[in-house]
Amino acid sequence: MGTIELKITHKIGNRKLNHYRVHSSTDVITIGSSPNTLIRIIDSKVEDIHATIEQRHGQWHIVDLLSEHGTWIGKKSVDETPIDPNSTVVVSFGENTLHIEPIHVNPFNLYLKNKNINYDGQNSVESQQVVLLRGNEILSSNMIKVGQKIELRYAGKDYTFSPAESDKWLEDKIEKVLLRRRNVKSQLFINPKPEKFSEFFNMDLIKAFGISLGLAFFFFLTAWLMPKLMPQAQEKNRYTQMIFDPEVIKKQQKEMKESKKKLERKEEKKEVAKVEPEKKRPVAMPKTEQAKKVVTQLKSSGLSDKISKIASISLSTDSLLENAGNNVSKSRNRSFASKGVAVKGATLSKNAGSYNVTSVATNGVQGGTAAAGKLGGLSAGGVGGGGVVDAIEEETEIGAGIDPAVIRDVVQKNMGRIRYCYERELAANPNLYGKVKLAWTITAAGGVVGQKIEQSTMKNNMVEGCMLRIVARWNFPRPDGGGDVIVAFPFFFKANN
């Protein structure tokens, strides 16, 4: 039975961009603008993972992954449709098109059932051909000596069969397998002995080796003669002398020592005079008639006595709080944080010498909400907004092959993107909430395929489609054993307010 492969041509208008050949052993082909897709399409109307071409039981299907602009065949938008194995289909993604042509591939039968393959010419050799089959599948094929018995071990048992007698097939059946053998003649190729010494070697290789050896000798000769042909420098470089000439180095060291001694002599001659700072003398008050008159007036007014009385008063927090509670309207919306008293919109009570706040209101962006109790119950009202996403781990279903903690870590790292899908729609619909249960398959390579919505109480295509596109880009460790792992993960969405 033959298989169906796909020949895919990517075009924009009449211009061909790329060609793809999809083997029949392929299960899923991803299409989108992401570099990780097998067929990448750069277009403003194509999403990261836009659609897939999937093979199910030998039949190819085109599947749209809830994209915003859709997948089109002609003038019809398709969600999922099979590909006709006998005709070419044109699928549109924005301005790009994929021309998908099915190709039927029939396997070549290496087992010649009844054809005579004997060779009767010169240098022929006769052998016994032995073939072991299971149905139309060849399990083994071998050539042995003519007249040799066939010894076979199958399913833990040893069997011995008589050899073939002619070029006609001789058959024996063992449980579900069939043993066939016959005598055939084939041509024997004999390598003649060389008559000349030059025939022992490949002349093309000898010529190539000679050319390489000549080029190597030329470069060696050039490198050896180059220093002798270059003109010698007539005078020494003064910078080289400064580095390598010992006489020049000694002269420089002597000059440096003399310069150091001169500097030391100059320092010895300098005398640093220590100048003491002048002491500040107290400034005497001017003894004028006008100054005396001002002092006399201050004393007679009793201002100094009032200042001393104010300084001696002990201000207690309790008295301030009592006055604040009695004169709420005069406090200009101020509060005493040390006692938890809030003046505006607050109720103050005294209990055994301590003050409690029975309700506090805030002036947030949206007015706030009164909260009973102490300051721990303060509510920020409408400040903030946004959505909350919780993963319901009790309803999580994870197949064997990967540690569930590893899968949860990957989900938590990408929780911000899941929350973005919800908050984007929450701005248009503040009452949006519900539970969405996602299911996907982790392949042997750690990628994600077959993502789908298994259950949803939210019933919002925009949020669910966004989540599917995000999950398709996740990567997990390779499962143990090389098999696929099926995961079902529920998420609960609710608004902050």
Side-chain angles (χ1 to χ4, degrees):
M1 181 179 179
T3 58
I4 299 177
E5 299 182 356
L6 297 181
K7 178 182 178 183
I8 303 175
T9 304
H10 180 196
K11 293 183 179 181
I12 294 181
N14 294 325
R15 183 162 60 96
K16 296 180 181 179
L17 298 182
N18 212 336
H19 293 279
Y20 304 91
R21 183 67 177 259
V22 183
H23 195 265
S24 58
S25 61
T26 306
D27 294 329
V28 179
I29 307 162
T30 54
I31 303 170
S33 59
S34 172
N36 297 325
T37 55
L38 296 178
I39 299 178
R40 189 180 184 189
I41 300 176
I42 306 300
D43 195 294
S44 59
K45 294 183 179 180
V46 176
E47 300 180 17
D48 293 347
I49 300 180
H50 192 101
T52 59
I53 300 176
E54 302 177 5
Q55 184 178 199
R56 304 169 189 169
H57 307 292
Q59 175 69 50
W60 292 96
H61 297 261
I62 299 174
V63 181
D64 181 76
L65 300 180
L66 300 177
S67 60
E68 183 178 355
H69 297 282
T71 301
W72 298 79
I73 297 179
K75 296 183 179 180
K76 181 181 178 182
S77 177
V78 296
D79 294 329
E80 180 176 345
T81 183
I83 298 175
D84 187 354
N86 298 316
S87 61
T88 301
V89 61
V90 179
V91 186
S92 301
F93 303 90
E95 296 182 357
N96 294 259
T97 57
L98 293 181
H99 297 252
I100 304 174
E101 179 185 354
I103 299 175
H104 294 264
V105 179
N106 295 318
F108 179 72
N109 188 6
L110 297 176
Y111 169 61
L112 302 176
K113 188 172 183 181
N114 296 314
K115 187 175 180 181
N116 188 356
I117 60 172
N118 287 333
Y119 176 77
D120 295 328
Q122 295 181 351
N123 299 327
S124 64
V125 60
E126 189 174 9
S127 303
Q128 185 179 186
Q129 182 184 10
V130 181
V131 181
L132 187 65
L133 303 101
R134 182 171 56 197
N136 291 327
E137 180 184 3
I138 298 177
L139 299 180
S140 67
S141 177
N142 199 3
M143 303 292 286
I144 62 176
K145 293 181 180 180
V146 175
Q148 180 180 345
K149 293 183 179 181
I150 296 100
E151 296 181 354
L152 177 65
R153 184 176 181 82
Y154 182 78
K157 297 180 181 180
D158 295 324
Y159 299 91
T160 303
F161 300 95
S162 60
E165 299 176 355
S166 64
D167 59 351
K168 303 296 181 181
W169 287 108
L170 181 62
E171 298 182 353
D172 284 291
K173 192 170 184 180
I174 311 169
E175 296 183 7
K176 296 182 180 180
V177 298
L178 181 67
L179 178 67
R180 301 169 64 92
R181 64 265 191 205
R182 67 177 177 178
N183 296 333
V184 295
K185 292 182 179 180
S186 59
Q187 186 178 5
L188 179 65
F189 292 92
I190 301 175
N191 188 18
K193 296 182 179 180
E195 297 180 357
K196 297 181 180 179
F197 178 77
S198 59
E199 294 179 357
F200 280 99
F201 304 97
N202 191 326
M203 297 305 297
D204 293 334
L205 293 177
I206 294 175
K207 290 179 181 178
F209 178 75
I211 294 173
S212 302
L213 187 63
L215 290 174
F217 177 75
F218 172 76
F219 286 117
F220 172 77
L221 185 63
T222 303
W224 181 64
L225 294 176
M226 188 64 69
K228 297 184 179 181
L229 298 176
M230 292 179 63
Q232 301 294 327
Q234 299 297 327
E235 56 184 34
K236 295 182 180 180
N237 190 315
R238 65 187 183 92
Y239 298 104
T240 306
Q241 287 182 335
M242 291 173 62
I243 299 174
F244 299 105
D245 195 338
E247 297 296 331
V248 176
I249 294 174
K250 289 181 180 179
K251 184 177 179 181
Q252 290 177 350
Q253 291 176 349
K254 186 177 180 181
E255 292 177 353
M256 291 176 63
K257 289 181 180 179
E258 292 178 354
S259 301
K260 186 177 181 181
K261 289 180 180 179
K262 290 180 180 179
L263 290 174
E264 290 176 353
R265 293 192 195 102
K266 289 182 180 180
E267 293 293 333
E268 291 176 357
K269 292 180 180 180
K270 290 183 179 180
E271 294 179 0
V272 181
K274 297 182 180 180
V275 181
E276 295 183 0
E278 295 182 359
K279 295 182 179 180
K280 295 183 179 180
R281 297 179 180 179
V283 180
M285 293 296 291
K287 296 181 180 181
T288 61
E289 295 296 333
Q290 186 177 1
K292 291 179 180 180
K293 185 177 180 180
V294 171
V295 174
T296 303
Q297 291 177 355
L298 289 174
K299 288 181 178 180
S300 61
S301 64
L303 181 60
S304 60
D305 295 336
K306 294 179 179 180
I307 294 174
S308 62
K309 288 181 180 180
I310 293 172
S312 64
I313 294 175
S314 175
L315 295 177
S316 64
T317 306
D318 294 342
S319 61
L320 290 174
L321 290 174
E322 290 177 358
N323 293 330
N326 296 329
N327 299 284
V328 171
S329 61
K330 297 179 181 180
S331 62
R332 298 183 182 274
N333 297 334
R334 297 180 182 176
S335 62
F336 298 94
S338 62
K339 286 292 184 177
V341 177
V343 177
K344 183 178 180 180
T347 303
L348 180 67
S349 63
K350 184 174 182 180
N351 184 15
S354 63
Y355 291 86
N356 295 330
V357 180
T358 58
S359 64
V360 178
T362 63
N363 287 326
V365 174
Q366 297 181 3
T369 303
K374 297 185 179 181
L375 288 179
L378 183 64
S379 173
V383 178
V388 176
V389 182
D390 292 330
I392 309 175
E393 297 189 0
E394 293 80 3
E395 301 180 14
T396 302
E397 300 173 8
I398 300 175
I402 295 183
D403 187 0
V406 174
I407 295 179
R408 293 190 185 97
D409 289 342
V410 175
V411 173
Q412 288 298 329
K413 289 179 182 179
N414 293 274
M415 191 65 77
R417 298 182 179 179
I418 298 293
R419 186 183 297 110
Y420 165 75
C421 295
Y422 173 59
E423 291 183 346
R424 185 177 62 178
E425 294 301 314
L426 188 62
N429 184 4
N431 297 322
L432 183 64
Y433 72 96
K435 183 177 77 172
V436 178
K437 189 173 184 181
L438 282 179
W440 64 87
T441 301
I442 303 174
T443 64
V448 173
V449 297
Q451 62 277 9
K452 64 179 180 179
I453 303 297
E454 192 169 272
Q455 182 183 2
S456 174
T457 62
M458 183 183 296
K459 297 181 180 180
N460 186 291
N461 292 336
M462 298 302 291
V463 177
E464 295 166 358
C466 179
M467 293 173 67
L468 287 173
R469 292 192 293 272
I470 289 174
V471 172
R473 295 195 293 268
W474 290 356
N475 289 310
F476 295 87
R478 294 186 176 184
D480 298 336
D484 295 343
V485 177
I486 299 176
V487 179
F489 214 100
F491 299 87
F492 182 72
F493 299 85
K494 62 180 179 179
N496 277 335
N497 55 358

